[in-house]
Amino acid sequence: LQQRLERYVSYGSGPKRFPLTDVLQYALEFASSKPVCTSPVDDIDVSASTTGYPVPSTTEQHGSCPSVDVPNIASSQRSVIHKPFTQSRIPPDLSMHPAPRNITEHELSVLENCLHRWRTEVETDTKDLQESIGRLHRTIDLMYADKLMSHVPYYLHAVLVHEGQANAGHYWAYVFDRRQDRWMKYNDISVTKSSWEELERDSFGGYRNASAYCLMYINAKEQHLIQEEFDKETGQVLNGMDTLPPDLRDFVKEDNRCFEREMEEWNAHQPDRKS
């Protein structure tokens, strides 16, 4: 719902986005402006030019509008010169906004009816989406306001994300590192620093066809799962495998030794394969 709402409040395909209701309103204001028959550069005063060369009179046709003659500098002078800061009022004959060159009453009537109807539809759709989002937020708030839901406090520890379809895709994980007080992203062999904003973008769906499919929490009452562990004899902080239970630590070390032996045997056979 939030993504649908964003398409209404941030409309456009370029780097700048605007509310769709405003875009329709701007189009209506442009169409309803008083039509002008001349180019926006036809009334530029060139009498202040210091070149001294005369500018020949030219005539341009703009649809059915009358032609506009550019006066000869040598024979005519502008009666009023608007100086900056000393006279900042806009001449009364200068249009405040761009306007159509030609528009008939029928064209304007059809366009106004369409723009008014579209703007009303967009406003209704936007309001419906906002109300639906509000109802969902209230439902979620009431759900977690239940006392039965607050008996066991917990921390979000990890988020597993899937990108693709049900039968194929790619997986990665976000894990919160409490020592660094930041989220880490584990993507195959790449481990990088991340942020809550990136986690939200990948987890909530709708972005690159990716969404979270598994959340892992830690019971806040189990402080040994959250706090750092210290060696009882040395008092130093335990890191890596030192934090594992003894039986699991021995298993991992033995498995690592087996893997190292396999690598040595594989490397020993490489010269024979090359020859």
Side-chain angles (χ1 to χ4, degrees), residues 3 20 28 49 63 70 78 91 101 103 105 110 120 125 127 146 177 196 206 217 234 237 245 250 254:
Q3 291 176 350
L20 182 54
L28 179 60
S49 174
V70 178
R78 191 178 180 90
R101 297 285 185 85
I103 185 169
E105 291 294 335
V110 172
T120 302
D125 293 344
K127 183 179 179 181
D146 188 348
D177 188 330
W196 177 254
Y217 297 90
T234 63
V237 178
D250 294 339
E254 179 61 27

Side-chain angles (χ1 to χ4, degrees), residues 145-166:
D146 188 348
K147 292 182 179 181
L148 295 177
M149 298 290 291
S150 59
H151 286 177
V152 181
Y154 56 85
Y155 296 102
L156 179 62
H157 176 65
V159 178
L160 306 184
V161 180
H162 173 256
E163 178 183 18
Q165 300 176 351

Side-chain angles (χ1 to χ4, degrees), residues 91-162:
D93 58 340
L94 183 61
S95 176
M96 291 291 293
H97 301 287
R101 297 285 185 85
N102 294 285
I103 185 169
T104 65
E105 291 294 335
H106 176 70
E107 291 173 335
L108 179 59
S109 176
V110 172
L111 188 57
E112 284 183 338
N113 290 335
C114 291
L115 290 173
H116 277 301
R117 184 177 74 251
W118 295 338
R119 192 173 191 274
T120 302
E121 293 173 357
V122 169
E123 289 176 339
T124 302
D125 293 344
T126 302
K127 183 179 179 181
D128 291 344
L129 287 170
Q130 291 173 337
E131 291 178 350
S132 298
I133 293 174
R135 285 194 297 270
L136 288 176
H137 281 307
R138 288 190 293 272
T139 302
I140 295 174
D141 292 339
L142 291 175
M143 180 189 304
Y144 288 97
D146 188 348
K147 292 182 179 181
L148 295 177
M149 298 290 291
S150 59
H151 286 177
V152 181
Y154 56 85
Y155 296 102
L156 179 62
H157 176 65
V159 178
L160 306 184
V161 180
H162 173 256

Side-chain angles (χ1 to χ4, degrees), residues 1-235:
L1 291 176
Q2 188 64 42
Q3 291 176 350
R4 293 178 182 177
L5 180 61
E6 284 296 323
R7 297 190 183 105
Y8 284 91
V9 299
S10 299
Y11 183 81
S13 57
K16 293 184 178 181
R17 308 295 178 90
F18 303 93
L20 182 54
T21 53
D22 290 349
V23 174
L24 295 173
Q25 180 63 30
Y26 298 153
L28 179 60
E29 292 175 359
F30 173 79
S32 303
S33 301
K34 182 180 179 181
V36 295
C37 297
T38 61
S39 168
V41 300
D42 284 343
D43 60 347
I44 298 299
D45 178 25
V46 294
S47 60
S49 174
T50 58
T51 59
Y53 296 103
V55 179
S57 176
T58 59
T59 303
E60 294 183 1
Q61 296 294 332
H62 301 282
S64 60
C65 300
S67 61
V68 178
D69 294 332
V70 178
N72 190 299
I73 297 178
S75 60
S76 63
Q77 295 292 332
R78 191 178 180 90
S79 58
V80 179
I81 299 178
H82 297 277
K83 298 179 180 180
F85 303 108
T86 59
Q87 187 174 359
S88 59
R89 291 185 301 173
I90 301 176
D93 58 340
L94 183 61
S95 176
M96 291 291 293
H97 301 287
R101 297 285 185 85
N102 294 285
I103 185 169
T104 65
E105 291 294 335
H106 176 70
E107 291 173 335
L108 179 59
S109 176
V110 172
L111 188 57
E112 284 183 338
N113 290 335
C114 291
L115 290 173
H116 277 301
R117 184 177 74 251
W118 295 338
R119 192 173 191 274
T120 302
E121 293 173 357
V122 169
E123 289 176 339
T124 302
D125 293 344
T126 302
K127 183 179 179 181
D128 291 344
L129 287 170
Q130 291 173 337
E131 291 178 350
S132 298
I133 293 174
R135 285 194 297 270
L136 288 176
H137 281 307
R138 288 190 293 272
T139 302
I140 295 174
D141 292 339
L142 291 175
M143 180 189 304
Y144 288 97
D146 188 348
K147 292 182 179 181
L148 295 177
M149 298 290 291
S150 59
H151 286 177
V152 181
Y154 56 85
Y155 296 102
L156 179 62
H157 176 65
V159 178
L160 306 184
V161 180
H162 173 256
E163 178 183 18
Q165 300 176 351
N167 58 346
H170 180 63
Y171 299 84
W172 64 90
Y174 292 96
V175 180
F176 189 73
D177 188 330
R178 297 203 169 274
R179 292 172 183 167
Q180 300 187 47
D181 194 30
R182 67 159 53 249
W183 287 93
M184 303 295 294
K185 182 178 181 178
Y186 295 79
N187 190 350
D188 290 341
I189 63 173
S190 174
V191 180
T192 57
K193 295 179 180 179
S194 185
S195 64
W196 177 254
E197 290 73 22
E198 182 181 7
L199 188 154
E200 278 189 316
R201 184 191 64 192
D202 288 350
S203 302
F204 278 38
Y207 177 76
R208 297 188 313 176
N209 198 27
S211 61
Y213 75 97
C214 182
L215 306 180
M216 298 182 181
Y217 297 90
I218 293 180
N219 190 335
K221 295 181 180 180
E222 303 293 338
Q223 293 297 316
H224 69 281
L225 298 175
I226 303 172
Q227 295 177 349
E228 294 181 335
E229 296 185 29
F230 299 87
D231 187 276
K232 295 181 179 180
E233 296 181 359
T234 63

